[in-house]
Amino acid sequence: MAAASATKISWRLQEFEAHTSRVSCVSLGKSSGRLLASGGEDCRVNIWSVSKANCIMSLSGHKKPVECLHFNMSEELLATGSQSGAIRVWDLEAAKMLRTLTGHKANITSLGFHPFGDFLASSSTDTNIKLWDVRRKGHLYSYKGHTQAVRSLAFSPDGKWLASAGDDHTVKLWDLMQAKTISEFTAHGGAVNAIQFHPNEYLLASGSSDRSVKLWDLEKFSMVASLEGDASPVRCILFSPDGSCLFSGSTDFLRVYGWEPDCCLDSVAVGWGRVCDLAVCNEQLIGASHQLSSVASYVVDLKRVKTSASPALPGIVQSQQPSAEPKGGALRRSYERPATACRSQGVKCSSDADRRSPEVERRSPSEDEADEKVSSAEIHNAEDYKEIFQPKNAISRTPPKVLEPFPAPPEDELSSLFGRHVHNAPVIPDQQQASLLASSTPVQRVEPTVVTCAKHPPPSAAGQVFPALPLSEPLPPPPLLPPLPQTSGKPHPKIFPIARNEPIGLNVADFLPSSPDKRPAVLSDDEALSQIRKGHDTMCVMLSSRHKNLDTVRAVWAREGIKCALDAAVSINDLSIVVDVLNIVNMQPSLWKLDVCMTSLPQIDKLLQSKYESYIQCGCTSLKIIMKYFWPLISDTLRAAPSVGVDITREERHHKCRMCCKQLKNVNNVVKNKASQVGRHGCAFRELQLLMAPLDDAL
């Protein structure tokens, strides 16, 4: 058991600069879990080997930022979609572009290869879904029914159905052979971000921004389970290879769900931020995320995660073989996978499906040749390229290389002592949070909790109750850490990350009072409960006050609009309220006006200098929106020649622009000072510094 606790449950595998500009999407190869593709606003697609920071291959040819990526099952083909609605299919083995598919009128949001044939499904913000044959140009069929952007697509394991989900809160099931909708599920209360078919049974899972995961029976077309344990929107989901559980990825957390009965089997604090894709390989779960121009990959050791109703002990390898009967004893149908390719199934199209679509008919052969000329696949690492993409081209007398699991780094001493306790921490205002932070006790996971039913939604992150530390036996006091070496420069203040590793308000030292002989003493149950309750009343008063203030701001917003609501939030003199309002406004850039910029810029100045990562992140996002959408207006207005006569509207606009420019210069000084920091925060400020470079030449 000592050896089992010597390694971490989850860890960051690597983080690297992937593009010269912001990364917009990442995708993992599901078969191997060892291949990663990234797309960016630089209109390029880069291929990476997971755990290696060297780019294997770079694909160029898109004229607009790349928004979506997807590998096929064999990881030999890669489909990429851009903001223009164009799709390109790449042959990674031959290192060339196979096909350009045009037909969508807006951003590509999701792509999916058929499990058996040469078919590709695509979705877009234009609300349409198209089915393509990558061997020919032009789409075979267009599926219409969603009223808002479609966010996720998935083919059933037998290749007969296609599932789609979108911002209209619905999940639709399409019959490819009949070319019609089979069923529609509408129980979600928010945009549906991810869908996944069960690998064996007639089950479909969907994850939504309403922080729930729902499972649907595809025989009865009814909801089987509603799993509501996530504290943030569900970003991606993945069934385990044997279908015994469902992995749900949300901001910084991985949760493992079971159904029949519904329960949260386990929860792991990974710290991966806004995770974008998941894959399972060698009893390890790989997660990929991106922030600004960097990409990061994370590993979760599934041998130390509870994936079934029976308890999972650290170091004990769980069986990954499929169970003999479905979960909960429910007798569901299993998919009948065809023995031949998809062509024999006869995917139904319109009667003239073989003819080219109008979009392609307008494309001349010279245009196709031009596409091939501007598209290129540049190999940066020939050794890795041959090892990954061309093993079949050479005859080998030795067995194929077996992929080994990623080795886990050693766990630090404090984490090994307290590595199985709660990780969630509520968002607390600056003035309250500093006094409540306890001693640092890094942890890796959260104890399993029973998922509440849909009638009783789970409390928000700010209202969660933290379980007590186990008191069955005395624990040694935390070891004293050596003091950090002093640097010659001025030390940067400590920044508290969004995902903290200690329970707020619980100090482990409180449970280990020193006795006269310097030996730790064991507290009684009453004394321990008293320590846990300490500060509870103060916390309740603070949260009640915050709830009341947010209700006030919401009422002002409904009555007088966003500008007055932001003014009300500022007048409360609580940065946490301002952050709550800005986070909402940042999700809808159309809400921003010049008045809102003028009010928010002084608050952004404070947020960027905060010691809390969530505040810094909110300030960075708001500042980027202002620079992207309003700096051209501000600059042009201040540079414009004076108008003839009296123009009150112009004078007001000129005054607002002058005030915004002055405030932006103050913020720019803060950004320049922070850009010298190391790590991801320094990287974020350096990107802001480049974005705000035009301010140095401003009037």
Side-chain angles (χ1 to χ4, degrees):
M1 297 299 291
S5 61
T7 57
K8 294 184 177 181
I9 295 174
S10 64
W11 62 94
R12 184 173 66 188
L13 191 61
Q14 65 171 346
E15 184 173 8
F16 53 89
E17 292 293 318
H19 290 264
T20 57
S21 60
R22 176 184 287 273
V23 178
S24 51
C25 55
V26 295
S27 179
L28 288 165
K30 297 298 188 294
S31 297
S32 68
R34 293 297 194 270
L35 208 56
L36 185 148
S38 63
E41 293 183 356
D42 56 3
C43 306
R44 298 177 73 88
V45 177
N46 292 331
I47 311 297
W48 312 81
S49 175
V50 174
S51 79
K52 295 183 180 180
N54 298 324
C55 180
I56 300 174
M57 188 189 309
S58 185
L59 310 176
S60 61
H62 281 289
K63 300 176 183 178
K64 294 290 184 180
V66 180
E67 293 289 330
C68 187
L69 305 160
H70 189 75
F71 289 98
N72 71 338
M73 291 295 293
S74 63
E75 299 178 2
E76 297 172 354
L77 300 180
L78 176 70
T80 62
S82 72
Q83 281 186 2
S84 65
I87 301 169
R88 293 176 187 263
V89 182
W90 306 83
D91 186 334
L92 300 181
E93 282 194 348
K96 68 176 184 179
M97 189 194 71
L98 281 183
R99 189 75 66 204
T100 298
L101 307 173
T102 58
H104 284 291
K105 300 178 181 179
N107 297 9
I108 303 298
T109 55
S110 182
L111 295 164
F113 279 100
H114 194 276
F116 305 113
D118 298 315
F119 297 105
L120 174 73
S122 63
S123 65
S124 167
T125 53
D126 64 9
T127 74
N128 293 329
I129 301 167
K130 294 184 184 295
L131 184 67
W132 313 80
D133 186 339
V134 297
R135 298 166 300 174
R136 59 169 65 94
K137 300 173 183 177
H139 63 270
L140 300 177
Y141 205 86
S142 182
Y143 302 89
K144 299 181 179 180
H146 285 278
T147 58
Q148 295 185 42
V150 183
R151 294 297 174 188
S152 183
L153 295 173
F155 282 102
S156 61
D158 60 2
K160 296 180 180 179
W161 293 345
L162 175 69
S164 62
D167 290 349
D168 54 5
H169 307 183
T170 64
V171 177
K172 294 181 182 292
L173 194 63
W174 309 85
D175 188 320
L176 295 180
M177 290 186 289
Q178 299 298 324
K180 66 178 182 180
T181 306
I182 301 174
S183 185
E184 179 177 335
F185 307 115
T186 58
H188 279 293
V192 185
N193 303 319
I195 48 177
Q196 180 83 22
F197 281 94
H198 191 281
N200 303 311
E201 302 175 27
Y202 270 41
L203 278 178
L204 177 69
S206 57
S208 169
S209 294
D210 64 8
R211 302 181 297 178
S212 73
V213 174
K214 300 186 186 300
L215 276 79
W216 313 91
D217 189 315
L218 300 184
E219 287 186 277
K220 302 177 182 178
F221 300 111
S222 60
M223 187 169 64
V224 173
S226 181
L227 310 167
E228 301 180 352
D230 285 283
S232 59
V234 178
R235 300 183 55 80
C236 48
I237 55 177
L238 179 70
F239 278 103
S240 61
D242 62 353
S244 62
C245 64
L246 178 70
F247 302 111
S248 169
S250 58
T251 302
D252 289 325
F253 271 87
L254 170 73
R255 285 179 170 80
V256 186
Y257 289 120
W259 58 97
E260 295 174 345
D262 305 349
C263 61
C264 179
L265 298 172
D266 210 341
S267 185
V268 183
V270 186
W272 50 27
R274 302 181 66 183
V275 62
C276 297
D277 201 7
L278 301 174
V280 172
C281 181
N282 287 337
E283 298 184 65
Q284 291 181 330
L285 183 136
I286 316 298
S289 63
H290 62 84
Q291 183 179 21
L292 304 178
S293 59
S294 64
V295 170
S297 58
Y298 294 79
V299 178
V300 179
D301 187 357
L302 296 181
K303 291 183 289 186
R304 301 185 63 193
V305 173
K306 187 176 180 182
T307 57
S308 61
S310 57
L313 299 177
I316 304 300
V317 179
Q318 300 181 24
S319 173
Q320 297 295 323
Q321 296 300 321
S323 57
E325 59 183 49
K327 290 175 63 63
L331 296 177
R332 289 196 185 89
R333 291 178 57 188
S334 296
Y335 295 106
E336 298 177 359
R337 292 170 173 79
T340 59
C342 174
R343 301 180 187 90
S344 62
Q345 295 190 41
V347 177
K348 181 176 179 180
C349 320
S350 53
S351 57
D352 54 348
D354 290 334
R355 68 176 177 83
R356 296 182 177 183
S357 61
E359 292 87 350
V360 177
E361 286 179 346
R362 290 194 293 267
R363 294 174 58 87
S364 63
S366 60
E367 289 177 333
D368 293 333
E369 293 174 1
D371 272 347
E372 293 180 2
K373 290 180 180 179
V374 299
S375 301
S376 65
E378 181 181 356
I379 299 174
H380 298 286
N381 192 319
E383 183 178 348
D384 285 345
Y385 167 74
K386 291 180 180 178
E387 179 182 351
I388 295 173
F389 296 113
Q390 294 185 332
K392 301 173 184 177
N393 294 353
I395 299 176
S396 176
R397 298 181 183 275
T398 60
K401 183 179 179 181
V402 178
L403 297 176
E404 296 293 334
F406 295 114
E411 200 167 28
D412 60 315
E413 296 181 21
L414 287 179
S415 181
S416 64
L417 286 176
F418 310 108
R420 296 180 60 83
H421 300 305
V422 70
H423 174 92
N424 285 344
V427 178
I428 300 175
D430 279 336
Q431 60 271 25
Q432 299 287 341
Q433 200 164 17
S435 62
L436 292 173
L437 283 172
S439 62
S440 177
T441 54
V443 296
Q444 296 299 327
R445 64 184 291 174
V446 181
E447 284 299 304
T449 55
V450 177
V451 177
T452 56
C453 63
K455 295 181 180 179
H456 303 283
S460 64
Q464 291 182 358
V465 180
F466 301 98
L469 295 175
L471 302 173
S472 58
E473 57 184 23
L475 296 175
L480 295 177
L481 299 177
L484 295 174
Q486 296 294 329
T487 57
S488 57
K490 183 179 179 181
H492 294 290
K494 179 182 179 183
I495 294 179
F496 295 102
I498 297 176
R500 287 178 291 275
N501 289 332
E502 67 275 357
I504 294 285
L506 289 183
N507 189 342
V508 176
D510 292 341
F511 294 86
L512 306 168
S514 299
S515 57
D517 58 355
K518 302 299 181 181
R519 293 181 180 178
V522 181
L523 295 180
S524 66
D525 290 348
D526 292 339
E527 290 172 333
L529 289 174
S530 176
Q531 292 286 353
I532 294 172
R533 294 194 186 102
K534 186 171 65 175
H536 175 71
D537 294 337
T538 304
M539 176 65 72
C540 289
V541 171
M542 186 274 298
L543 291 177
S544 298
S545 174
R546 180 173 178 182
H547 187 273
K548 182 179 179 181
N549 290 335
L550 287 174
D551 281 343
T552 301
V553 173
R554 182 180 180 181
V556 174
W557 191 332
R559 187 172 60 252
E560 302 179 39
I562 175 60
K563 172 62 169 62
C564 295
L566 190 57
D567 289 338
V570 172
S571 65
I572 294 174
N573 197 26
D574 185 347
L575 269 182
S576 64
I577 304 297
V578 176
V579 169
D580 288 337
V581 175
L582 286 180
N583 280 333
I584 296 173
V585 181
N586 289 342
M587 291 190 295
Q588 303 183 46
S590 60
L591 293 175
W592 283 86
K593 307 294 181 187
L594 199 57
D595 288 337
V596 176
C597 295
M598 191 170 62
T599 303
S600 61
L601 276 170
Q603 306 304 312
I604 293 174
D605 193 332
K606 297 178 183 178
L607 294 177
L608 295 180
Q609 300 182 67
S610 172
K611 56 187 175 183
Y612 300 109
E613 184 182 22
S614 59
Y615 291 13
I616 297 174
Q617 197 175 80
C618 174
C620 289
T621 303
S622 300
L623 186 57
K624 289 176 183 177
I625 292 175
I626 292 174
M627 290 300 299
K628 181 177 181 179
Y629 295 102
F630 291 93
W631 174 246
L633 169 65
I634 295 172
S635 178
D636 293 345
T637 301
L638 295 179
R639 293 177 183 273
S643 61
V644 179
V646 178
D647 188 342
I648 298 178
T649 302
R650 184 187 180 281
E651 291 298 325
E652 290 179 350
R653 183 170 63 253
H654 191 276
H655 170 72
K656 294 175 183 176
C657 290
R658 188 169 63 252
M659 293 299 297
C660 287
C661 184
K662 180 180 178 180
Q663 293 162 356
L664 281 170
K665 287 185 177 181
N666 294 335
V667 174
N668 192 27
N669 292 331
V670 175
V671 171
K672 289 180 179 179
N673 293 334
K674 298 279 188 178
S676 61
Q677 295 181 6
V678 297
R680 58 179 177 178
H681 301 109
C683 179
F685 283 112
R686 285 191 290 274
E687 183 175 348
L688 281 176
Q689 187 178 10
L690 293 175
L691 190 63
M692 302 183 74
L695 276 169
D696 297 331
D697 302 326
L699 296 177

